[in-house]
């Protein structure tokens, strides 16, 4: 999918990755290291096909050959590069950073920059939710934007926003399509309109099979972290649920004293943490799985700093840490938070882990400010000494306000 980073960007492969890599490998000498890597990549990619083929075939037929197509990063981007023929189309996305809200703003920009071409955005409901207010901007200026919102399935017990109803309430023409044939027809009708239009279609891919995530046991890095959070009076952790965070959320659930509160937009996690800190005087805790999450949290973190609210933000490790990219393409949480966090420390399983976690929690509460801990979520199950007396539970501050 991603061949090699070059000059701060990436080369992505359109079509069947295995076939393209195989063709590239055949043109290199057998002794070339790159040839061996390409052969391995081609073998690994063989037979891989993201997305529902029938949904993407319908989109490929409906999208004009010279359209400008803005793609939400993730499953939409992966499937589009596999199934949509390039022709004269221009594709754009948040390739490296993975900003989930990219598709709608990029489609708006394309409609202005390329007035003679159709501007089409492909996104999921979660991605549109992060830029939902821009539907009103599209309506206000009559931008010829065609936004296709794909999935998820509407199942009992799951709250799914009706984006077609949302668009109509905003004054934007909207259509529903429950199957590939209906999607092709609805997008064709939307392209024939003069103003903005939204099409709500079927899911872009089959749901992933459930993955069993076991809770790390006692005597682990996770158990020490949870114990120290509980001692500091933390009873909630806010964040956008991502696969990388599943072991952490499971550890919280198994312990039972600290609850993981999932949000749709990561900015809300930091806002909720700072509100919690203002209300209780105890550290509010938010968690960022990646750079996109952390950048969105900046408003809440600055709010905490300026309003003297105790907040601890837990993030991924910086570039160069074990198992993280060293190419410079990853967001460095320590540099990013240097202006807003009173302290910023990497934490690994081992004898210093409890001391560093306790220090961040104590400093946040004592100085009523933001502190930062960078953790490797994949190492939560590793052995780590018990916290001991690293943080006295009795030292947790009293409520600032009455209940």
């Amino acid at each position: 999918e991603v061949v090699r980073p070059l000059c701060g960007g990436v080369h992505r492969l359109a079509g069947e990755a295995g076939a393209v890599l195989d063709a590239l490998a055949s043109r290199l000498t057998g002794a070339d290291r790159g040839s061996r890597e390409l052969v391995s990549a081609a073998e690994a990619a063989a037979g891989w096909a993201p997305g529902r083929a029938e949904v993407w075939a319908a989109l490929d037929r409906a999208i004009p050959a010279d359209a400008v197509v803005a793609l939400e990063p993730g499953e939409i981007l992966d499937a589009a590069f596999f199934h949509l023929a390039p022709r004269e189309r221009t594709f754009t996305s948040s390739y490296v950073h993975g900003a989930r809200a990219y598709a709608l703003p990029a489609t708006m920009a394309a409609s202005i920059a390329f007035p003679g071409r159709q501007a089409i955005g492909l996104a999921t409901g979660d991605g549109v939710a992060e830029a939902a207010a821009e539907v009103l901007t599209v309506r206000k200026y009559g931008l010829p934007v065609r936004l296709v919102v794909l999935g998820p399935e509407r199942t009992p017990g799951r709250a799914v926003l009706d984006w077609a109803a949302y668009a109509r309430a905003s004054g934007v023409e909207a259509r529903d399509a429950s199957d590939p044939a209906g999607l092709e027809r609805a997008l064709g009708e939307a392209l024939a309109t003069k103003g903005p239009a939204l099409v709500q279609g079927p899911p872009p891919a089959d749901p992933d099979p459930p993955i069993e995530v076991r809770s790390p046991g006692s005597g682990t890095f996770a158990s020490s972290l949870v114990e120290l959070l509980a001692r500091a009076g933390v009873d909630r952790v806010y964040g956008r649920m991502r696969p990388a965070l599943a072991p952490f959320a499971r550890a919280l659930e198994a312990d039972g004293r600290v609850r993981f509160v999932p949000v749709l937009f990561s900015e809300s996690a930091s806002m909720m943490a700072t509100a919690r800190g203002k209300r209780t005087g105890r550290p509010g805790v938010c968690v960022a799985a990646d750079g996109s999450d952390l950048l969105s949290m900046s408003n809440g973190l600055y709010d905490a700093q300026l309003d003297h609210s105790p907040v601890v933000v837990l993030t991924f490790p910086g570039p160069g840490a074990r198992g993280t990219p060293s190419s410079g393409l990853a967001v460095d949480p320590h540099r990013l938070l240097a202006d807003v966090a009173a302290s910023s420390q990497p934490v690994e399983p081992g004898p210093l882990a409890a001391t560093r976690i306790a220090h961040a929690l104590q400093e946040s509460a004592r100085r009523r400010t933001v502190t930062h801990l960078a953790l490797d979520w994949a190492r939560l199950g590793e052995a780590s000494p018990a916290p001991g007396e690293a943080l006295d539970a009795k030292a947790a501050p009293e409520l600032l306000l009455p209940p």
Side-chain angles (χ1 to χ4, degrees):
E1 176 190 347
V2 177
V3 178
R4 182 179 300 171
L6 287 173
C7 302
V10 293
H11 284 181
R12 291 188 62 100
L13 303 180
E16 187 177 347
V20 176
L21 290 169
D22 187 58
L24 289 173
S26 68
R27 287 166 172 74
L28 297 173
T29 63
D32 188 278
R33 177 173 177 268
S35 175
R36 294 195 299 273
E37 291 177 346
L38 286 170
V39 170
S40 297
E43 292 174 350
W48 180 73
R52 290 181 172 175
E54 63 276 14
V55 171
W56 289 96
L59 288 169
D60 192 39
R61 291 190 296 269
I63 295 174
D66 64 344
V68 181
V69 186
L71 304 166
E72 178 183 317
E75 63 178 353
I76 296 287
L77 175 60
D78 294 338
F81 266 68
F82 187 93
H83 294 286
L84 297 183
R87 300 191 179 96
E88 299 302 319
R89 295 166 178 159
T90 299
F91 296 105
T92 181
S93 183
S94 178
Y95 292 107
V96 178
H97 180 49
R100 194 168 56 163
Y102 183 86
L104 178 52
T107 308
M108 295 164 63
S111 71
I112 298 170
F114 302 97
R117 300 168 67 181
Q118 293 280 9
I120 300 171
L122 303 181
T124 65
D126 287 351
V128 177
E130 294 192 9
E134 301 311 323
V135 175
L136 296 173
T137 304
V138 167
R139 172 66 182 87
K140 179 178 180 179
Y141 296 104
L143 300 178
V145 164
R146 288 65 166 101
L147 180 64
V148 180
V149 184
L150 297 173
E153 297 279 12
R154 287 174 169 77
T155 57
R158 180 176 183 180
V160 177
L161 186 60
D162 187 338
W163 286 105
Y166 179 89
R168 294 185 190 104
S170 303
V172 172
E173 188 172 333
R175 292 170 173 80
D176 276 295
S178 60
D179 55 48
L183 175 62
E184 182 178 357
R185 181 172 58 255
L187 181 53
E189 294 171 353
L191 292 170
T193 63
K194 292 183 179 181
L198 181 144
V199 174
Q200 186 167 250
D206 293 320
D208 293 328
I211 299 175
E212 181 182 359
V213 179
R214 296 183 178 179
S215 173
S218 60
T220 62
F221 187 27
S223 63
S224 295
L225 174 59
V226 175
E227 174 64 29
L228 289 167
L229 291 175
R231 288 188 191 181
V234 176
D235 59 1
R236 293 176 178 84
V237 173
Y238 307 96
R240 183 159 72 100
M241 178 49 70
R242 311 288 293 281
L245 298 181
F248 178 51
R250 194 58 180 267
L252 295 176
E253 181 183 0
D255 181 84
R257 290 176 292 174
V258 184
R259 175 188 169 199
F260 186 89
V261 181
V263 299
L264 180 63
F265 185 31
S266 54
E267 181 183 39
S268 299
S270 60
M271 291 291 190
M272 294 167 78
T274 187
R276 186 73 178 172
K278 292 176 186 179
R279 170 69 176 79
T280 67
R282 298 185 177 95
V285 179
C286 54
V287 57
D290 58 23
S292 179
D293 278 354
L294 185 57
L295 286 166
S296 297
M297 287 181 170
S298 59
N299 270 343
L301 298 178
Y302 272 97
D303 182 83
Q305 183 204 52
L306 297 173
D307 282 0
H308 304 288
S309 175
V311 168
V312 177
V313 55
L314 307 178
T315 75
F316 49 94
R322 193 177 89 171
T324 61
S326 58
S327 62
L329 296 177
V331 171
D332 186 336
H334 300 286
R335 293 182 62 187
L336 184 63
L337 297 174
D339 181 55
V340 71
S343 68
S344 179
Q345 300 185 77
V347 184
E348 297 182 347
L352 294 179
T355 301
R356 291 188 173 184
I357 295 169
H359 176 267
L361 290 163
Q362 289 172 325
E363 282 295 285
S364 176
R366 183 179 66 85
R367 298 174 59 181
R368 304 208 187 282
T369 190
V370 178
T371 58
H372 165 231
L373 293 171
L375 316 170
D376 185 346
W377 307 113
R379 302 182 67 187
L380 289 178
E382 293 186 17
S384 193
E389 301 301 323
L391 182 66
D392 186 356
K394 297 179 181 180
E398 298 296 327
L399 292 176
L400 292 180
L401 297 173

